[in-house]
Amino acid sequence: MNGYELLNVTFQFLESFAFIVLATVGLAVIFGMMGIINLAHGEFILVGAYATTLSAHQGLPLPVAMLVGVVATTIFGIVLERTIIRRLYGRLLDSMVATFGISLVLVQLTRILFGNSIDQVSTPFGAISYGSYSYSLYRVLLAGAAIATLLVLYILFTRTAFGIRARATIQDEETARSMGVDTDRMYMSTFAIGSALAGLTGALYAPARASPTPEFGSEFLVDAFVAVVVGGPSVLVGTPLAGGFLGLIEAFFTFQWTQFIGTVAMLVAAIVMIRLLPDGFSGLVESVRTSWRESE
Amino acid sequence: MTRRSISRRSALAGGVASGLAAIGGCLSEGGILNGSGGSDGPMIGVLEDRSGEFALNGTAKWQASLLAVEELNADGGVLGEELDVYDPDPQSDNQRYQELTREALNREGVDALWAGYSSATREAIRPIVNEEEQLYFYTTQYEGGVCDRTTFAMGATARQQLGAVIPYMIEEYGPRIYTIAADYNFGQISGDWVRLLADEHDAEVVGEEFILLGETDFGSTINAIQGEDPDFIASMLVGNGHANFYEQRADNELDVPMASSTTMAQGYEHRRLDPPALEDMYVGVNYMEELETDRNAAFVDAFYEQFPDADYLNQEAQNNYFSIHMWAEAVEAAGTFDQETVIAELEDGIEVEAPEGDVELDPETHHMTHHMRIGRADGEHEVTFSDEQYIEPSFLHEVGCNLPDDPEQTQYEPDEFYDEI
C-alpha cells in the first residue's frame, strides 16, 4: 500500500464512519432514551432530504436549505409525537407497528405528491486530488459533521439542566415527576431532538445522492439498525464506537477487495459482535467501568 | 457502506404485514373490487413497476402501454372488441411479480402479457409463463439469448447495443476498458459481451467490478478506476441506487468517458442529475425521447397529452407501445385471440411502424431488428445521436435458435459459445 492508497482507504473510512454515525444517531436517541423503535426513521430522513432539496430549488442557498430541512423534520416529529407516538410510550411492539404504518404512508404520500424522483442538488466543494486519485471533499467533511453532532449531543445531555432532566425522566419517570420535572414535555423534547437529527442526516445527504426518491430513507435503515444493536443502549458511547468499528471493517475490506465484500464483512462483524457482546459496545464500556469501581 | 435498500416488509420480518399488504393491494388495485371478473372481452396484462427500485423505468412503460390500448380502443378495439387491461403495480418485487403473473394467467386469463423490467424478474416469471404456454412480451433491452417459443423479446440485446457502442468507443478513445455492471444475470452476461467485443476489436478489459443492486456508494469503485486509468468505462449499472455512480463521478472530477447499454434511455439520468454528471456518456439505444423524427414528435406529443405529468418517455415505453400495436395487428390478421394462432401469425413475420423507425420481427428468434443509434450527452446533458445502424439479433442465429422449427424454452449465454470469455 503506497501513500496515495493509504489516503484512499482513509477517506473511505471517514465516509463510512460519517454515514453510519449520521444514519444512526437520530434512531439511537429515540430508542436509547425513550425505548421507542422508530421504524419510520428512514422517512424522517426522507422529510429532511426533500425539504432541503425542494427549498434549494426555490433558490435558497444550500446551508439555509439544510436548516429548513432540519426545522421541517423537527416540526414534523413534534406533530407526530403529539398525535400518535405519545400514546405508545412503554408499548414497544405497538410502537413498532404504528411507526411501520407511518413509514408506509409517508413513502406512498411522497410518491403521490412529488412523483418517482425529484431533481437533485449537486454536491458542493468538488474534489481533493492526489496522485492519479481524487476524493469528494464534501464526503470527507461529512465525517467532521458527524463528530460535531456527537459533541453537541454530549454537551446537551451531560452539561445542561435540560440534559439532566431528560435523563432523569428516562431513568425513573415517577421520581422525576415528583421532583417537579414536566416529564411529558421531556419526552416531546427528546423526540424532537431525535427528529431533528434524522432531519439533519437527510439534509446533509440530500446533495450527496443522485436525485432523491420516495425510497431515500430505506438505504439508511440497515446501517442504522445494525449500528444501534452493535452500539448498545447508550447513544453517546455506543454510536461513535459502532461507527468507528463497522466503518473500519467496511473500509478495509472494500479497499482490499470490492464494495460487495466490504458490505459482507461489515454484516458478519456485526453478527459476531452481537454474539460476543449482547449489550453492544456500551454494555462493554459499562461492565469495564463497574469492575473498575469495584476494584477501587 | 451498505446502501442497499431493504423493504420495510423484510425489516419487520412481517409475514403478517406482507399478507396484509397483499390483501390491500388486491383490494385497491384491481382484483376483488373492481376486477374485470364481469367483462368477458379481450384483456392484456401489463405488469410494470410504479414503485420501488425500478419505478423510474417502469412508470413510463405502464403509461405507454395504456396509451397504446387507448389508441386501439378509440380506433374500434381489436377484432371489434374493446380491449381491457389488468395492471396492478408489482412494486419492483420479484415475488409479487410471480403472484401477479399467476393472477393474470389463471384468474384473469389474459390474451397476452407484458411484464417486467429487470432480467431477474423475467427469469422469475418465465417458468410460470412457460407452464401456461402464455404469449409473453418482454420489452426491456437485455443481455440477449432467450429462445422461448411463447416469449417475444422486444428490446435490443447486448449484442445489438454494446455491439454498436463498444467498437465506436474503442475507435474514438482507445482499447483499455473498465467494466462496472450490476451484479445479477443481466450485468454478468453483459460483462461477458464487453470482453467478447473487446477481443473482436483488439481491445482489453483492464478491470471489472460487479455491484449489488441498490448500492449507492462508489468511492472505492472510483478509486479503483483511477488506479487503472482506462480509456473508457463500460457501465451496465441498473436502477435508481446506481445513478449515484454518475453523481459521484462528477463530484470526484473523474473525466473518463463512458459507454453504456442502460443509462439515460431508461432512467433519464441526464434529466434528473445536475450536469455535468453524464458528460461524455455514450449509450447504445434503439429509442430515446429526444430522437428528432416527425414520427417520434407525434408519438411524444400523444404521450404527454395523455400523461401531462409524465417525467420521461423512455426506450422501454416505446417498446411496450409498438409491441402492443404489433400484437393487435397480428390478432387482426389471425382473426382470433387464440394465443397459438397469434404466435403462428407473428412467426410469419411482421413489420411495424414504431416511433424509432420501421422494425421487423425476426421469426426464428422472436427478437426485433432494431435501429441502433449512439446517443451522447455533452457537458450540458444535451443528447445528440450518431451512427444509426439497422442491426439484427444475430447471437441467437449463431447458436441455432429456430423457434418455428424447434420450439424450445431456454436462455443461451455467450460463455457457452465463445472461448474468448
Side-chain angles (χ1 to χ4, degrees), chain A residues 12 15-16 19 43 100 116-117 120 123 133-136 139 210-211 213 215 223 250 254 259 263, chain B residues 1-5 8 12 51-52 55 59 215 217 220 223 226 240 244 247-248 251-253 272 274:
Chain A
Q12 283 163 28
E15 197 189 342
S16 274
F19 184 82
E43 282 58 52
F100 173 63
N116 283 327
S117 79
Q120 71 152 161
T123 318
Y133 299 100
S134 64
Y135 217 88
S136 155
R139 279 159 221 277
S211 56
T213 66
E215 280 88 16
D223 290 57
E250 185 177 30
T254 298
Q259 184 69 49
T263 304
Chain B
M1 275 145 273
T2 53
R3 305 301 129 71
R4 287 148 285 102
S5 20
R8 289 333 176 284
L12 198 64
S51 55
T59 304
E215 178 66 56
D217 181 57
S220 70
N223 283 160
Q226 289 169 329
N240 184 49
N244 283 287
E247 199 275 326
Q248 288 168 38
D251 193 18
N252 274 281
E253 294 162 15
R272 294 187 295 125
D274 256 4

Side-chain angles (χ1 to χ4, degrees), chain B residues 204-219:
Chain B
E204 183 193 4
V205 176
V206 295
E208 226 176 17
E209 185 174 345
F210 294 97
I211 297 160
L212 281 183
L213 273 182
E215 178 66 56
T216 55
D217 181 57
F218 292 91

Side-chain angles (χ1 to χ4, degrees), chain A:
Chain A
M1 196 189 286
N2 63 36
Y4 290 143
E5 286 175 346
L6 187 68
L7 269 181
N8 280 347
V9 77
T10 308
F11 289 148
Q12 283 163 28
F13 164 70
L14 289 175
E15 197 189 342
S16 274
F17 172 77
F19 184 82
I20 295 168
V21 168
L22 290 170
T24 310
V25 70
L27 185 74
V29 164
I30 291 173
F31 172 63
M33 306 285 286
M34 307 174 70
I36 295 272
I37 295 183
N38 182 13
L39 286 176
H41 178 60
E43 282 58 52
F44 282 61
I45 296 175
L46 174 76
V47 170
Y50 266 61
T52 302
T53 307
L54 293 171
S55 43
H57 286 321
Q58 295 304 312
L60 291 183
L62 190 58
V64 181
M66 286 176 168
L67 193 66
V68 172
V70 175
V71 171
T73 317
T74 312
I75 295 170
F76 171 76
I78 292 173
V79 170
L80 217 57
E81 199 272 347
R82 286 292 92 185
T83 49
I84 299 171
I85 308 287
R86 74 189 173 95
R87 298 166 210 280
L88 301 168
Y89 291 133
R91 293 161 64 186
L92 184 73
L93 294 177
D94 297 352
S95 72
M96 281 177 76
V97 174
T99 51
F100 173 63
I102 291 168
S103 140
L104 291 178
V105 170
L106 285 176
V107 171
Q108 203 54 37
L109 204 60
T110 308
R111 192 182 301 289
I112 292 166
L113 289 177
F114 301 107
N116 283 327
S117 79
I118 55 175
D119 291 343
Q120 71 152 161
V121 180
S122 55
T123 318
F125 303 143
I128 322 163
S129 293
Y130 45 100
S132 56
Y133 299 100
S134 64
Y135 217 88
S136 155
L137 178 59
Y138 183 79
R139 279 159 221 277
V140 176
L141 291 179
L142 283 176
I147 291 168
T149 306
L150 289 169
L151 278 179
V152 169
L153 277 187
Y154 177 79
I155 292 167
L156 181 68
F157 280 113
T158 61
R159 296 278 188 274
T160 67
F162 165 80
I164 291 166
R165 281 202 290 268
R167 284 188 297 146
T169 305
I170 280 39
Q171 249 175 22
D172 189 338
E173 192 186 341
E174 291 284 298
T175 315
R177 212 187 334 223
S178 67
M179 304 282 282
V181 177
D182 182 349
T183 53
D184 188 49
R185 226 183 92 206
M186 281 302 120
Y187 278 125
M188 187 178 84
S189 312
T190 312
F191 197 83
I193 291 170
S195 309
L197 290 169
L200 177 69
T201 306
L204 288 172
Y205 279 93
R209 284 281 173 276
S211 56
T213 66
E215 280 88 16
F216 186 87
S218 61
E219 65 186 65
F220 294 84
L221 275 193
V222 178
D223 290 57
F225 279 95
V226 166
V228 162
V229 173
V230 170
S234 163
V235 186
L236 293 171
V237 178
T239 308
L241 285 176
F245 172 73
L246 296 172
L248 203 58
I249 294 208
E250 185 177 30
F252 175 76
F253 281 88
T254 298
F255 171 77
Q256 206 63 33
W257 288 280
T258 60
Q259 184 69 49
F260 172 67
I261 302 291
T263 304
V264 171
M266 189 190 84
L267 294 176
V268 169
I271 293 169
V272 173
M273 278 295 298
I274 297 165
R275 175 68 189 80
L276 297 178
L277 300 173
D279 289 328
F281 277 114
S282 44
L284 177 71
V285 171
E286 192 56 42
S287 66
V288 170
R289 266 194 195 159
T290 317
S291 59
W292 271 351
R293 270 185 224 127
E294 278 165 8
S295 64
E296 277 164 14

Side-chain angles (χ1 to χ4, degrees), chain B residues 332-373:
Chain B
E332 293 285 355
T336 168
F337 289 100
D338 177 69
Q339 298 186 26
E340 288 301 326
T341 321
V342 174
I343 290 173
E345 185 62 42
L346 288 166
E347 283 178 348
D348 265 356
I350 190 163
E351 192 178 280
V352 282
E353 294 181 6
E356 66 170 283
D358 293 349
V359 288
E360 284 163 274
L361 178 76
D362 178 58
E364 280 89 43
T365 63
H366 290 189
H367 281 58
M368 302 300 293
T369 301
H370 275 297
H371 296 272
M372 301 309 300
R373 289 109 171 156

Side-chain angles (χ1 to χ4, degrees), chain B residues 36-357:
Chain B
S36 48
S39 120
D40 294 328
M43 175 184 270
I44 61 170
V46 176
L47 304 180
E48 301 292 3
D49 305 311
R50 306 201 290 282
S51 55
E53 178 73 11
F54 302 126
L56 293 164
N57 314 327
T59 304
K61 295 179 79 175
W62 171 69
Q63 289 165 331
S65 307
L66 295 190
L67 174 64
V69 171
E70 189 90 352
E71 288 176 354
L72 288 169
N73 283 340
D75 208 26
V78 183
L79 291 179
E81 292 193 75
E82 184 160 328
L83 192 59
D84 227 336
V85 184
Y86 173 72
D87 62 345
D89 176 9
Q91 303 170 357
S92 311
D93 177 342
N94 287 341
Q95 200 182 333
R96 199 166 147 75
Y97 261 108
Q98 293 177 323
E99 291 160 15
L100 292 173
T101 302
R102 286 196 192 283
E103 291 278 328
L105 272 48
N106 299 341
R107 213 188 58 202
E108 304 292 337
V110 297
D111 296 297
L113 176 70
W114 279 257
Y117 168 72
S118 83
S119 290
T121 298
R122 183 195 66 239
E123 291 310 299
I125 64 171
R126 210 154 58 85
I128 303 168
V129 166
N130 285 345
E131 196 182 295
E132 302 289 330
E133 307 201 320
Q134 171 67 40
L135 171 54
Y136 168 44
F137 293 88
Y138 176 65
T139 60
T140 308
Q141 62 79 27
Y142 83 115
E143 68 278 7
V146 170
C147 178
D148 185 323
R149 58 175 295 273
T150 63
T151 299
F152 288 79
M154 298 289 102
T157 61
R159 184 67 160 172
Q160 288 168 303
Q161 295 188 289
L162 296 173
V165 75
I166 297 287
Y168 178 90
M169 295 297 282
I170 293 170
E171 182 81 13
E172 199 82 355
Y173 290 103
R176 291 165 48 79
I177 310 172
Y178 198 104
T179 298
I180 48 174
D183 195 2
Y184 68 106
N185 53 355
F186 165 75
Q188 296 278 357
I189 296 173
S190 296
D192 286 348
W193 278 113
V194 173
R195 279 165 184 263
L196 189 68
L197 289 161
D199 190 78
E200 285 175 3
H201 294 85
D202 295 320
E204 183 193 4
V205 176
V206 295
E208 226 176 17
E209 185 174 345
F210 294 97
I211 297 160
L212 281 183
L213 273 182
E215 178 66 56
T216 55
D217 181 57
F218 292 91
S220 70
T221 304
I222 287 171
N223 283 160
I225 293 170
Q226 289 169 329
E228 284 294 345
D229 192 25
D231 293 321
F232 68 95
I233 298 165
S235 155
M236 277 76 66
L237 298 177
V238 172
N240 184 49
H242 286 179
N244 283 287
F245 171 77
Y246 304 113
E247 199 275 326
Q248 288 168 38
R249 166 182 174 266
D251 193 18
N252 274 281
E253 294 162 15
L254 174 70
D255 53 9
V256 181
M258 300 178 288
S260 178
S261 58
T262 52
T263 319
M264 302 204 296
Q266 304 183 46
Y268 51 101
E269 290 84 355
H270 59 303
R271 298 282 186 89
R272 294 187 295 125
L273 273 59
D274 256 4
L278 273 297
E279 186 175 8
D280 284 333
M281 165 60 86
Y282 294 78
V283 57
V285 292
N286 60 300
Y287 179 83
M288 279 178 77
E289 186 187 292
E290 287 85 353
L291 279 183
E292 284 179 353
T293 63
D294 291 343
R295 196 189 283 176
N296 184 44
F299 175 50
V300 172
D301 286 346
F303 180 79
Y304 284 104
E305 194 171 314
Q306 185 89 354
F307 301 101
D309 297 330
D311 294 309
Y312 188 70
L313 175 48
N314 67 13
Q315 173 178 260
E316 278 63 30
Q318 191 248 189
N319 296 348
N320 275 45
Y321 174 83
F322 84 69
S323 56
I324 289 176
H325 278 291
M326 184 179 86
W327 167 79
E329 260 179 57
V331 170
E332 293 285 355
T336 168
F337 289 100
D338 177 69
Q339 298 186 26
E340 288 301 326
T341 321
V342 174
I343 290 173
E345 185 62 42
L346 288 166
E347 283 178 348
D348 265 356
I350 190 163
E351 192 178 280
V352 282
E353 294 181 6
E356 66 170 283

Side-chain angles (χ1 to χ4, degrees), chain B residues 382-402:
Chain B
E382 291 296 322
V383 179
T384 47
F385 299 95
S386 58
D387 236 42
E388 182 177 333
Q389 309 171 55
Y390 193 50
I391 304 183
E392 286 187 7
S394 57
F395 170 56
L396 279 173
H397 284 291
E398 288 169 34
V399 305
C401 171
N402 187 348

